[in-house]
Amino acid sequence: MSTLTTLDAVNSIDIDVGGTFTDLVLTMDGERHIAKCPTTPHDLSVGFLNTVEAGGDKVGLSVEELLPKIDIIRYSTTVALNRLLQRQGPRIGLLTTEGHEDAILIGRGAQWVDGKRVAERRNIATQNKPLPLIERDLILGVRERVDSAGHVLRPLDEEDVRTKLRLLMDRGARAIVVSLLWSFMNPAHEKRVREIIREEYKEYHIGFVPVVMSHSVVSKIGEYERTMTAVLDAYLQQSMQNDIGATWDKLRARGYRGAFLMIHNSGGSADIFKTPASRTFNGGPVAGLMGSAYFANKLGYKNVVAGDVGGTSFDVALVVESSVRNYTFRPVIDKWMVNVTMMQTISVGSGGGSIAKVDRGGSRLEVGPKSAGSMPGPVCYDLGGAEPTVTDADVVLGYINPDTYYGGRMPLNKAKAEKAIREKIAQPLGIEVIEAASLIREIVDENMASAIKREVHMRGYHPEDFVLFAFGGAGPTHMAGLKGDIPKAVVFPAAPVFCAMGSSIMDIVHLYEQSRRMVFMEPITEKLVIDYEQFNRTVDQMVANAHQELHSEGLDVEDAVFSLELDMLYGGQVNLKRMSSPLVRITSQADAMAVYQAFEQEFSDAFSPLVVNKPGGVFLDNFVLKVTVPTWKPPVPVYPLQSPDPGAALLGSRKAYWPSIKQWNDTPCYQFELLQAGNVIDGPAIVEAELTTIVVPPALRLTIDEHGLGILEERK
């Protein structure tokens, strides 16, 4: 694994498993190749190996010939969330502090609507608390108590632990979570409980059970969120082991001997066998965001909207002033609030597979959030789907060529798509089929454009200051409609597999968090009173943990970059701000002032200089150590500009319906791979790529820039 610590070129495979397709980017001898195959929900390892095989075909190698040449495989997946939604986890037993057995059942007030869509939240009368992942008789309290400073108030009663443990096992527990009060301040009791469990049920026993300690998963304040994070890790551990273990076994059997990394929702990647399940949620969209940030920097764009239109969802994230340090600190996974740090993205149920239906009143068309997925998929797939989808509408409108879809390997049935839209949409609404197809497309585009507009405006920015990166299989097809007020949209040659491409440039990143409430600036006097010794001791312990983990993964600590982020707030306020500390350690008053000034600047930028409250004092709540091991990144190519005439890439023409002019038009079609830098295409036009289609409506223009990227904007 030492090859990962250099910036020399490496051969890599990056795979993103989505709800409809599994995407691949193969980097071989400095060149990128892309491929995708249908996701196989019954066994993700099948779709994984199918995609690797498709990538091997690109370079003329079998899987057995390709894998020994690969240095690193990175993997992002939604398998954890899928298993959670399906409630396929084992029975979990929870040992907590006596008297606090009902904490996770009581939850927080927002638990009634956590994870619900906005429309559902508004209808409060119909809301119910989610069914707990752990049954009440599998939650037992043990006699012990540690206070908020880490002092032991009540020693651990070990015999009581053994009694409660046997009771949990008798009641059918197949995994144990240990979450004791203030364990992140003093984990001694949690560690001893784990030792007792191992004494009672050893690794070689048939009744061996996994044990998850809350302080190991989340070393932060917040009993409910910390416990639920540990519960989710225990709940998903076995299913993820089965899915990922099967993939690993097949890779090893085919000759792979390199590193196997999992994309984390914090913006990096780490060894797959050292990754908790809770860190893998949203890995694909985060990879897309990190890829967007990397290419935005290379292309000179400071503000970017990353829009990923997949088969089942539309994911949105922002790059602002070349930074992606926008976090969700207490995200909701399914219906459970947890305490892991995630890069901030939003997801709406709009995509190529989103199902269109007429509401119960028979007068309004709805598109999504339900999706046809990969099986049976849209009606035009001819695999048994009966509900019309966005992809069916695109086929009926003439935008997608049924004969060349998915590189010609999946011919589409246009007649069935028309029939489904006629029977399910057009006839109930009393309109023509083409009007119904246009309406489906209009609604899904508006849903996505509204999601972008909300995200941009809610953060206090203007869409006019951004550029849209449109990716995902359906992103280029719908980018003209979803960009809204954003003046320019960019499409990459690897747009259909952009999240996998994003993971190909991601560094190895570990995050270490530790809650430690400290007074940084004294109220009223505004004197900096931070305790240097305690501050540095906390950081040093996190650094020591990082060194140990890097060594265990075979990584060279000398190649690692250490940076510190701090969660801080002003007294009398509730808004925490995670700021980037200019220093890792504080050894003088000047150091403390530098840290405070950085906090004040970032706080002012985020909330307004008017709410800076120095008389209220400044408090430090949480330490975050970020350890980055850089990896090699392929350069962005530059091509000489050619003639504006795209004639060499012209494939012919076909009829397509354009709602803006309300008529069918004999529309020129071009091959994206044959276009050259400098070519200009005025709409209406259709540009076909191997794995996607770019739709250029009237009044818009597509220009190929010097990097081979498509730039969609208004005609000048």
Side-chain angles (χ1 to χ4, degrees), residues 404-479:
T404 60
Y405 184 75
Y406 187 43
R409 297 185 295 277
M410 185 186 288
L412 303 180
N413 192 324
K414 182 177 180 179
K416 282 193 174 182
E418 288 179 337
K419 182 174 182 291
I421 292 176
R422 178 182 299 106
E423 294 176 353
K424 302 282 187 175
I425 308 298
Q427 291 177 354
L429 293 178
I431 59 178
E432 296 296 323
V433 171
I434 197 62
E435 292 179 76
S438 297
L439 191 57
I440 292 172
R441 183 178 170 90
E442 179 184 346
I443 290 175
V444 76
D445 285 355
E446 180 56 35
N447 288 345
M448 293 187 286
S450 295
I452 290 175
K453 188 178 296 184
R454 284 195 305 272
E455 184 70 357
V456 172
H457 283 307
M458 288 293 285
R459 299 242 203 121
Y461 306 115
H462 300 287
E464 297 82 2
D465 298 330
F466 283 77
V467 171
L468 171 67
F469 285 3
F471 50 90
T477 309
H478 289 265
M479 64 179 178

Side-chain angles (χ1 to χ4, degrees), residues 77-95:
T77 176
T78 57
V79 58
L81 183 57
N82 293 342
R83 296 295 182 262
L84 180 59
L85 294 174
Q86 296 163 12
R87 295 295 186 267
Q88 292 182 342
R91 287 168 63 85
I92 305 294
L94 171 61
L95 290 175

Side-chain angles (χ1 to χ4, degrees), residues 215-383:
H215 81 273
S216 296
V217 175
V218 177
S219 192
K220 293 166 62 178
I221 194 170
E223 180 189 3
Y224 170 69
E225 295 88 344
R226 176 165 49 87
T227 304
M228 284 311 307
T229 307
V231 167
L232 287 177
D233 277 329
Y235 190 79
L236 296 166
Q237 185 183 57
Q238 185 175 355
S239 63
M240 290 198 69
Q241 276 183 341
N242 293 339
D243 281 312
I244 295 173
T247 302
W248 177 244
D249 290 342
K250 290 180 180 180
L251 289 171
R252 297 286 293 179
R254 301 285 189 95
Y256 181 61
R257 296 295 181 268
F260 196 18
L261 305 185
M262 178 70 84
I263 303 303
H264 284 199
N265 43 37
S266 56
S269 58
D271 190 301
I272 203 162
F273 299 109
K274 293 180 177 290
T275 296
S278 58
R279 300 302 194 273
T280 68
F281 289 98
N282 226 29
V286 167
L289 171 59
M290 299 305 292
S292 296
Y294 172 76
F295 288 107
N297 177 263
K298 293 295 183 182
L299 299 171
Y301 297 126
K302 286 190 173 182
N303 301 319
V304 171
V305 174
D308 180 7
V309 188
T312 58
S313 66
F314 173 55
D315 300 299
V316 182
L318 301 185
V319 179
V320 179
E321 293 296 323
S322 303
S323 172
V324 294
R325 284 197 317 105
N326 290 298
Y327 299 105
T328 301
F329 295 111
R330 290 185 173 176
V332 175
I333 297 175
D334 187 15
K335 295 177 174 60
W336 316 105
M337 184 179 290
V338 297
N339 208 344
V340 296
T341 298
M342 290 188 185
M343 303 299 294
Q344 189 168 338
T345 66
I346 64 167
S347 181
V348 296
S350 297
S354 294
I355 293 173
K357 65 177 182 179
V358 178
D359 70 349
R360 293 182 179 180
S363 60
R364 186 166 64 92
L365 179 63
E366 299 174 347
V367 183
K370 187 177 179 182
S371 172
S374 60
M375 185 62 67
V379 176
C380 60
Y381 281 14
D382 211 3
L383 296 175

Side-chain angles (χ1 to χ4, degrees), residues 477-498:
T477 309
H478 289 265
M479 64 179 178
L482 64 90
K483 76 183 186 73
D485 296 328
I486 299 175
K488 179 189 294 186
V490 179
V491 58
F492 291 77
V497 296
F498 192 86

